[in-house]
């Protein structure tokens, strides 16, 4: 089959690789219906050291089950499934707590250990725990939004949950990438009254407003902090969704939280320490977050996707075949595309 292999920063190739096979009796193999490129794929795209073997990329997909191992009980051949970006057994203490990204037998797709989904097919470890079956088919028009439940929409929702978004409260979303945009959807869905998006790309801002953003702040640093304060009676917001991962974004996030507020961070951090420790301390700001347990959120979010109440699939503004994936990375990295969908 054909798959996306990254060899080093900027070096993404489409290559013929071995078809995925059942290795463990708890595995499944799915034929990928849709996959996509994640903002977090851009970190290795910018920084990865050269690897001779390369890494099959991609951790977001929906697809159809082609094969299951002998011990797979719930998932069946022909099932149409959502593949969360982390695999999990569904049975350990952390899976029971709804934190499948910390599953004691779990791990992540698109890593050196487990091949990714920007490919024609993918092997799914612990299929019964990992996959969410949607039955046998789904409406073509719903595919993009269903795909977002594998990561980006669940991640935006996680930021909102950790930031304690509540009805009637004020929210700021730091970052206008696909996760930030889904964070706006999540904040609106959870009843926030004021939603301030911090971003500067006209197309993304327009989409954020469609999704429910009430205010836009396009400055950065101190100017952004001042603007958010001005929009919130001088206090700052109750909840901040940090969807970037860079030091400046985190400093801004903490500075715009009102005393007693919370920051939900889902941007993959690029530093070893959390910036803004002192202002967070003196303002009693709660800082939390991490990889979103999207597997736990599918059940919550799916009805609103199926009923069309939320349309997170609108974050995809470009669709490519498998051969177009390297150009998709380039386009996302150059901010020419918000998020690229792959139709193998
Ligand atoms: Zn587990």
């Amino acid at each position: 089959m054909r798959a996306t292999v990254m060899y080093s920063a900027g070096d993404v190739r489409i290559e013929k690789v071995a078809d995925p096979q059942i290795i463990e009796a708890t595995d499944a193999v799915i034929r990928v219906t849709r996959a996509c490129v994640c903002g977090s794929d851009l970190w290795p795209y910018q920084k990865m050291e050269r690897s001779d073997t390369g890494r099959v990329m991609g951790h977001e997909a929906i697809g159809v089950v082609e094969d299951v191992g002998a011990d797979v009980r719930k998932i069946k051949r022909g099932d149409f499934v959502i593949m969360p970006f982390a695999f999990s057994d569904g049975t350990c203490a952390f899976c029971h707590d709804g934190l499948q990204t910390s599953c004691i037998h779990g791990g992540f797709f698109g890593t050196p250990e487990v091949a990714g989904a920007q490919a024609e097919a993918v092997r799914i470890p612990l299929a019964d725990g990992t996959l969410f079956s949607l039955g046998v088919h789904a409406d073509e028009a719903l595919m993009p939004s269903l795909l977002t439940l594998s990561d980006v929409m669940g991640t935006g929702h996680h930021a909102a949950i950790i930031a304690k978004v509540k009805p009637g409260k004020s929210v700021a979303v730091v970052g206008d990438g696909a996760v930030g945009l889904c964070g706006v959807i999540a904040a609106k869905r959870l009843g926030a009254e004021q939603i301030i998006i911090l971003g500067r790309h006209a197309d993304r801002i327009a989409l954020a407003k469609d999704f429910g953003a009430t205010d836009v702040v396009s400055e950065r640093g101190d100017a952004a902090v001042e603007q958010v304060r001005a929009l919130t009676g001088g206090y700052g917001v109750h909840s901040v969704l940090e969807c970037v991962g860079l030091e400046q974004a985190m400093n801004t996030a903490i500075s715009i939280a009102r005393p007693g507020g919370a920051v939900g961070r889902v941007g993959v951090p690029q530093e070893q320490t959390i910036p803004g420790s002192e202002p967070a301390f003196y303002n009693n700001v709660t800082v939390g977050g991490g990889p979103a347990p999207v597997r736990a959120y599918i059940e919550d979010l799916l009805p609103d996707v199926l009923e069309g109440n939320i349309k997170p699939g609108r974050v995809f503004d470009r669709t490519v075949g498998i051969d177009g994936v390297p150009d998709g990375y380039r386009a996302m990295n150059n901010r020419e595309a918000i998020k690229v969908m792959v139709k193998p």
Side-chain angles (χ1 to χ4, degrees), residues 17-103:
V17 301
D19 287 340
Q21 307 279 342
I22 303 288
I23 298 173
E24 305 287 338
T26 47
D27 289 349
V29 170
I30 69 170
R31 171 89 12 205
V32 175
T33 306
R34 297 281 193 289
C36 48
V37 183
C38 183
S40 66
D41 293 333
L42 299 179
W43 296 124
Y45 189 72
Q46 290 161 12
K47 293 181 180 177
M48 182 175 160
E49 309 248 337
R50 178 152 293 281
S51 148
D52 292 336
T53 48
R55 177 171 143 194
V56 176
M57 299 294 292
H59 54 258
E60 300 156 272
I62 51 176
V64 177
V65 176
E66 267 196 345
D67 199 3
V68 294
D71 292 344
V72 175
R73 298 281 173 260
K74 299 181 206 152
I75 297 297
K76 308 256 180 302
R77 282 192 188 85
D79 279 0
F80 182 66
V81 294
I82 300 171
M83 179 200 99
F85 66 82
F87 57 89
S88 57
D89 59 13
T91 56
C92 78
F94 299 109
C95 286
H96 278 299
D97 287 347
L99 193 61
Q100 286 88 340
T101 42
S102 292
C103 176

Side-chain angles (χ1 to χ4, degrees), residues 225-241:
V225 174
E226 237 169 80
Q227 278 259 328
V228 173
R229 294 235 175 95
L231 288 166
T232 53
Y235 291 152
V237 293
H238 295 97
S239 302
V240 185
L241 284 54

Side-chain angles (χ1 to χ4, degrees), residues 106-285:
F108 298 94
F109 291 99
T111 55
E113 296 75 40
V114 181
Q118 289 159 7
E120 290 174 321
V122 59
R123 180 179 77 92
I124 311 289
L126 304 167
D128 278 336
T130 303
L131 296 174
F132 187 100
S133 177
L134 294 159
V136 285
H137 57 81
D139 189 336
E140 188 70 17
L142 283 174
M143 295 287 182
S145 286
L146 292 172
L147 173 60
T148 67
L149 298 181
S150 70
D151 183 350
V152 60
M153 183 62 221
T155 294
H157 179 69
H158 186 58
I161 294 289
I162 299 297
K164 305 177 186 172
V165 173
K166 298 266 165 34
K169 302 291 186 186
S170 55
V171 176
V173 178
V174 179
D176 60 4
V179 172
L181 293 168
C182 287
V184 171
I185 295 175
K188 169 90 177 165
R189 181 178 169 276
L190 293 168
E193 185 172 300
Q194 183 180 30
I195 304 174
I196 304 167
I197 177 93
L198 281 76
R200 45 177 54 199
H201 302 86
D203 52 338
R204 298 166 188 224
I205 295 304
L207 197 49
K209 284 182 172 169
D210 271 6
F211 286 160
T214 55
D215 300 280
V216 178
V217 168
S218 294
E219 285 82 0
R220 279 185 182 166
D222 292 344
V225 174
E226 237 169 80
Q227 278 259 328
V228 173
R229 294 235 175 95
L231 288 166
T232 53
Y235 291 152
V237 293
H238 295 97
S239 302
V240 185
L241 284 54
E242 199 293 295
C243 307
V244 179
L246 292 171
E247 184 178 9
Q248 188 189 45
M250 195 59 202
N251 273 320
T252 299
I254 286 169
S255 302
I256 61 179
R258 67 191 256 153
V263 175
R265 52 204 290 256
V266 292
V268 180
Q270 301 302 302
E271 281 90 29
Q272 289 298 311
T273 55
I274 302 180
S277 163
E278 197 179 74
F281 178 85
Y282 283 105
N283 289 323
N284 273 281
V285 171

